[in-house]
Every structure is written in C-alpha cells, then in structure tokens.
Amino acid sequence: MRETEATTDARRAMEVCNACRYCEGFCAVFPAMAMRREFSTGDLSYIANLCHNCKGCYYACQYAPPHPFNINVPQVLAQVRAETYEEYAWPAPLAGLFKRNGTIVSLATAAGIALTLLLTMALVDPSVLYQPQIGPGAFYRVIPWWLMVALAGGTSLFAVLALAIGFRNFWRDTGGRADEFRRAKPLAVALHDIFTLKNLGGGGGGCNDKDEGFSQLRRRFHHAMFYGFLLCFASTTTATFYDHIMGHPAPYPFWSLPVQLGTWGGVGMVVGTAGLIWVKIVSDPAPAARNLLGADYALLVLLFLAAATGLLLLALRDTGAMGVLLAVHLGVIFALFLVIPYSKMVHAVYRSAALLRHALERHPTPPGNKPSDRALGSAA
Ligand code: SF4
Ligand code: SF4
C-alpha cells in the first residue's frame, strides 16, 4: 500500500496509543497494535480494516480534540480504510470509482433501473407488460429467461471475481500466506467474530452509536441487514434450484421456501438499512470521517431499495403493476451487483480478512509445524 497523509496520521495515532495502551481491552485493534513496535503501510491497512468504527476509543481518549495531540483513532482509521478499498480494487483502472462514490452508486442505480425498463419495454408487448400475469413462468413473460440469466449471471460473476482478487491483494499486502487458510482453529475464531460482530459489542455494553452513551443499536441493525441479505441470497439460490433442477418456474406460493426466505430477508434488510441510516443521521459527527458519509448513505439506500422493491413486487405480483415492478427491482439488483466491488460493501471482505489475520496472530502455528520448520527438518 502507498504511503499517504492518512497512513502518516494513522501511524502517529498508533504510536501514541502504543505508549498509552488505555484502550487495550476495547476491541481487536489495540491487541494487534500492541504486537508491533513499527507500523508498515501493510500493518496500517490490516489495523484499519480491523476497526469496526464503534467510536469507543474516541470518547475514552484523554488525547482527543481539543487536546493538542488531536488523537481521533476512528477517524484516521476510516480514512486509511477508504484508501485500502481503492488500493486493492480490481481492475485497477476502476479504483477511481471509489472517489465521489455516493454519486457513482446513485448514477449506477438510476442507469440500472432505466436500462432494464427500456429493455423490457422494447422486448415485451405492452399488452403483456401492463396486464396481470399469473401462474408458473409469469415473470419470464415480462422479462425473457435468457435476459434475466445473462444480466444476473454476468453481473454477479463479475462481482465475485473482483471481490476475490481484492481479498488476495489485501492478504498479500498484509503479509499473509496461502497455506494459513488450512488452520481450522483461527478460521473458526474468525468466523465467530464475523458472524457475531463481536467487535461492535464494546466488551458487552455496546458501542457509542450516537454519542458517549453505550448502545447495541448499530450492532442489531447491522445484524438485521446482514442476516436479511443472507436470507435473500438463500431465497434466490433455492428458487434457482426449484426452477432449473426441479423444473418449477417462479412465482411460488407465499408459504413456499423461496418466498418465505425472501420475505423475512427483505424485512430484515429494510429494518436494518433504515435503522443504520437513522443512526448515522443522529450520531455525533466528531469521530466520523465526513468525506466518506456520502458513500455510506448511497450503499445503504441501494440495499434498502433492493429489499423494498422486492417486497413491493411480492405484494403486487398478481396485479398489472407486476411487469414494471419486476423491471425496477431487477434494475436495482443488477446495479447492486455491479457497484458491490466499488462501494462500501467491500468492507465485508477486508474486515473478514483482517479478523482472520487477527485470529492467526492470536493462535500462532506451534513451533515445528511451520512450513519453513518442516523444510528445515527434512533437510536435516
Ligand atoms: S485512543 Fe487515546 S486513550 Fe485510547 S489508547 Fe489511544 S491514546 Fe490512549
Ligand atoms: S473505533 Fe472502536 S473498533 Fe475502532 S479502534 Fe476504536 S475502539 Fe476499536
């Protein structure tokens, strides 16, 4: 990773924190910091992505502004984090999309909706588009199967590839090796930390969501959004299995598995994203990196739209509004897949990688089991 003003500021903050150590029990950042005397840009990239932006260390810090030391750990780590998103993005020429990200995400959403609507209107007879369509295959009468598969498959495969390459770039830059993934215990610890959002727990009291008071609100809203997203993904996977393996095309009855997974997932995402937007609006701006807020809001609104248009489509699928709603919903989903690798969404990949690196540091390979040790042993 490049040396920048943000990495210089973060290094200075870490050096002060390393001398102070008051926040050692707050989160994973401080134990990771305490294992180092010097901070390379790779170390700072790792530590910045380990931070869950709970703001606890800002309100606890005796050196926070207006103290002349001006220590604001959540803010400097957020700036470095944003730079890591650009640094590891693939393909590299698209890394610039992280700049003015709020505008980019909004434009991509509008373009996704407009393109899908225009394609639908061009390909489908108006008498079909505006008439109620019911029974198996109703969705394909509005948007042809081949178009749905081409757009969904193309955009989702691109997103998975770009995120996987970003993960590899992060792992290499922070000193990781490929053979470390084989270790079960650190992997299990990291998965536990990821799925419980342990670092937003603040040691049990929660984080400083809005101000110096402690609460679990952000963690709960994030859980609602995250698990809602996973349920929606499970719904799509199940529907694909029903359609392509079992030969039962959508739409499915309300009490069927794909619809139930999608409904509860959609509700979770709507509640979670709306709650997170509200927390951002009412929270104290002092520890926040204000230049990054536009990207945060844009992604939350896009996720909210993805879930809300899906629920609206479910509610009105037997009416003449289904055709237009289906095109709008799919437009939002395609836009979401396209912008995922160039939006705040990448934090899920880098934060998970940082948690895995932290678990590996806490559970080091026993002496004699390292690949280098085994090579020496066989040579002897
Ligand atoms: S954030 Fe402030 S109080 Fe906490 S370790 Fe750093 S310097 Fe000390
Ligand atoms: S903001 Fe929270 S998660 Fe980030 S370093 Fe401070 S205490 Fe840790």
Side-chain angles (χ1 to χ4, degrees):
M1 180 164 171
R2 288 165 295 130
E3 191 70 58
T4 63
E5 197 181 327
T7 55
T8 306
D9 289 347
R11 183 176 294 111
R12 185 183 73 87
M14 288 296 100
E15 283 165 359
V16 174
C17 290
N18 228 352
C20 166
R21 304 261 178 115
Y22 177 78
C23 301
E24 212 156 50
F26 279 29
C27 68
V29 163
F30 294 93
M33 169 204 79
M35 296 177 85
R36 292 162 168 81
R37 291 286 166 274
E38 293 178 344
F39 299 92
S40 68
T41 52
D43 292 331
L44 293 169
S45 164
Y46 156 54
I47 286 172
N49 282 285
L50 209 47
C51 170
H52 285 50
N53 201 24
C54 80
K55 304 167 192 162
C57 60
Y58 174 78
Y59 291 108
C61 185
Q62 59 271 41
Y63 305 118
H67 191 281
F69 280 12
N70 197 30
I71 296 298
N72 191 336
V73 174
Q75 195 178 72
V76 292
L77 293 187
Q79 298 289 4
V80 173
R81 221 167 27 246
E83 289 184 0
T84 64
Y85 301 162
E86 276 188 56
E87 185 79 22
Y88 305 131
W90 179 89
L94 292 186
L97 294 179
F98 279 104
K99 293 203 167 64
R100 300 182 59 78
N101 193 257
T103 315
I104 299 289
V105 171
S106 312
L107 287 175
T109 310
I113 295 172
L115 188 70
T116 321
L117 266 175
L118 285 173
L119 268 175
T120 309
M121 283 172 183
L123 290 168
V124 179
D125 192 305
S127 63
V128 172
L129 186 58
Y130 302 114
Q131 292 296 315
Q133 300 291 327
I134 47 177
F139 293 152
Y140 297 144
R141 272 174 249 140
V142 176
I143 298 189
W145 177 88
W146 61 266
L147 183 60
M148 239 190 251
V149 170
L151 287 175
T155 51
S156 57
L157 284 177
F158 172 74
V160 169
L161 180 67
L163 292 177
I165 295 176
F167 178 94
R168 186 205 59 182
N169 293 344
F170 173 89
W171 198 253
R172 282 184 181 166
D173 196 36
T174 54
R177 302 189 314 267
D179 64 297
E180 289 173 304
F181 297 107
R182 287 189 223 131
R183 298 187 42 218
K185 171 118 195 224
L187 207 52
V189 171
L191 285 174
H192 171 266
D193 292 352
I194 292 164
F195 283 100
T196 59
L197 274 182
K198 186 177 160 219
N199 285 277
L200 281 186
C207 28
N208 299 92
D209 293 326
K210 296 183 279 176
D211 45 38
E212 62 262 55
F214 293 97
S215 94
Q216 297 276 4
L217 272 178
R218 185 164 159 243
R219 189 185 197 187
R220 287 184 185 138
F221 284 135
H222 195 290
H223 271 332
M225 182 188 67
F226 175 60
Y227 285 103
F229 187 85
L230 290 188
L231 284 178
C232 289
F233 181 73
S235 164
T236 309
T237 311
T238 318
T240 307
F241 180 81
Y242 277 30
D243 190 345
H244 301 291
I245 309 293
M246 293 171 63
H248 299 310
Y252 306 110
F254 181 71
W255 293 109
S256 65
L257 188 59
V259 177
Q260 284 299 303
L261 289 170
T263 303
W264 292 110
V267 170
M269 281 181 71
V270 165
V271 171
T273 49
L276 288 171
I277 290 171
W278 171 73
V279 169
K280 268 193 195 303
I281 290 171
V282 298
S283 64
D284 175 9
R290 271 171 253 187
N291 56 325
L292 305 174
L293 284 176
D296 291 4
Y297 281 123
L299 179 66
L300 286 171
V301 170
L302 182 55
L303 287 166
F304 176 89
L305 284 177
T309 54
L311 290 175
L312 201 59
L313 175 62
L314 173 67
L316 300 178
R317 62 183 178 170
D318 292 338
T319 72
M322 185 272 270
V324 172
L325 279 174
L326 178 64
V328 170
H329 177 59
L330 290 180
V332 173
I333 299 294
F334 298 146
L336 179 64
F337 279 135
L338 270 182
V339 300
I340 274 178
Y342 313 103
S343 71
K344 169 83 184 293
M345 197 85 167
V346 295
H347 80 282
V349 171
Y350 301 135
R351 190 164 281 159
S352 302
L355 285 168
L356 178 57
R357 166 136 312 291
H358 186 57
L360 286 161
E361 284 188 349
R362 280 185 295 157
H363 302 89
T365 311
N369 279 350
K370 291 181 190 164
S372 52
D373 295 342
R374 284 200 298 274
L376 280 175
S378 56

